[in-house]
Every structure is written in C-alpha cells, then in structure tokens.
Amino acid sequence: MENKLDESNLTKVELVKRLNKFDLAFFSLDTITLSRWSKNKTKPSNYRQFLMYLFFRDNISKCIKFNRSLNSSSSEANKVIDVYFKYRKNPSYDKPLINDDNIIYYYNIYNELEIRSVFSYFYNNFNFYLEIYDFINKYSINYNSYLFKEFDVKNERITSHIQASFLNAKNSYYFKSFLLDKDVNVDLEKDEELIIFDIPFFREKKTFEELLFSFIEKLIELDYVNNPIYFFCVSDYFVNILELLGGKHIGTIQDSANNIFIYENNTLSFLSNKYIIELYRKFSSRNEFSD
C-alpha cells in the first residue's frame, strides 16, 4: 500500500477521496482505515483488495498469485465439493471406465449458431433453451461461446464441459429483457457486458477444477474482471457450490424436463473468492513447474 501511494504521488486524503468515488465498496473508507491497511495493522477484504488492483490498473493474475494478504483458506468450500463428488452417480459415459491417461483439456470458440449443433441432443430437450434460440434469431444476437472440454481421446468423446458466452452491452440488454419476462430478477438499468455460464455435469472433482481454472484464465486474459456473470444450472444438484462461490439466486425457470436455476455474481467477486484464489494458485504453480 505504501509503495502504491508513493507511485501514485497521492496523499492518503486524496487517495481516500478517489476510492470513495471509484466504487461503493469504499464509500465509508477514511484515512484512519487506509493508514491501518498501509501499515498492515488490518487488511481489507479480498474483494476490496481486488478493487484496489483495478484502481491502480495492476495485473489481476499477479494479485492472485503473489499477494499473500489475500485470504485463501477455503476448507469449507472444499468439504462441500468433496462431498458432492463423493456421492454423485456416475453417468453412462463413465462406462467403459475412463483412463485418465487418455484425458486432455482444451477449448474451442464457437459462434451463436455453431454452439447449438455441438450439444443439440441435450439442449433441445429443454423448452427454455429452444425459446432462447428463437429469441436470439429474432434479435440477431451475435456472440462467441467458449467451450472448455475434457476429452477422452481413446473413445473420441467429450466427457465433461463448461460453456461461457460473452455478450456485448447491447446484446446483454436484449438477453436480460428475455430473462425479465421469465420473472428472473435482473437489472436492466446497467449498460454492461455480460457472461452466461452454463453448468452441465462434471465427471469428477479433477474435471471440475481443470475446467474452472481454464475459464478463470480466459476471464483474466479477456479482461472480464469486473462484469456480471449469470450461472445457469440444470436441476439443483450444484446450487450449494454456486452459493459458496458467492452466487446469488435470481430466478428459477420451470421446464418440462427439469428446473433451471439461475445465479448471479460479479466476476471480481468470483475471482476474489477464497476457493477460487486457492485453485488458481495451485494450478498456476503446476503449469509453471511443468513449463
């Protein structure tokens, strides 16, 4: 903190005033609290520390990896995730048993038309997704979707995946209007880019961590570090984990096949979550060591 003050040529009073205006999270910040932070007598929350990095335009990846004042004790989340994967039922594609030596992880980028064909056998079972496709066609909404895959090279099949779609401000407004008509609690007032995150079925905990890490890397690379993100979860099997990661339930879509639960978060809040910090550090260290 002291180094940042020196680099910015700002006094504590000036910095407090600017932070007060920068984000509501700093609305009540005063010079006494800032002084305590700078002298390491107390420390701000992870979220406020991330906001400070945004304010000073520092690298979020370095913040996560090297800022040891961040709280990364995520034992509670790990316990919930461990229990979930311990008791889940193996899907049919686990037969024959998948050998981890045949598993690779990668992603592809698809446009709004291409992504439909990849998993049409799944999404076409839901009236909600069919309505979304009609809505996208009606308003000519264009976007790119990143499909993060776990792939079994021996059996030539995708064994797990997550899908993240990135919408510009105009298309975000259209999409939020669609959700509002479904009684989902969305905010149309904010003009902002939006990420739609589809959560399918994860084969095991390692799968979940690998795919989630790839998504986090892409968020940081594309500089989507302070944007709204909507999580779509088919059935309620994963909602406890979403809540532990900071998600807020904003609506449930009743569908003929299954209920679809929608959770909202902010990417900065998501990235500053203790579990996400620990996960990112673990996999970043592994990749750096392997390089």
Side-chain angles (χ1 to χ4, degrees), residues 162-209:
I162 55 177
Q163 177 186 329
S165 302
F166 295 80
L167 280 65
N168 62 29
K170 178 182 177 182
N171 290 334
S172 295
Y173 178 85
Y174 284 140
F175 192 77
K176 286 191 286 187
S177 299
F178 171 82
L179 293 178
L180 191 63
D181 288 340
K182 300 290 182 183
D183 295 324
V184 178
N185 185 19
V186 298
D187 185 359
L188 286 179
E189 298 298 322
K190 294 183 179 179
D191 185 23
E192 54 195 353
E193 296 176 322
L194 173 68
I195 303 164
I196 305 297
F197 189 100
D198 271 301
I199 298 177
F201 197 89
F202 297 105
R203 187 173 64 86
E204 61 180 6
K205 183 179 180 181
K206 182 179 185 296
T207 303
F208 167 69
E209 291 181 334

Side-chain angles (χ1 to χ4, degrees), residues 115-124 133 147 158 161 163:
I115 195 66
R116 300 182 195 183
S117 61
V118 179
F119 290 106
S120 58
Y121 63 88
F122 174 76
Y123 290 112
N124 287 347
Y133 294 155
L147 193 64
I158 298 172
H161 77 282
Q163 177 186 329

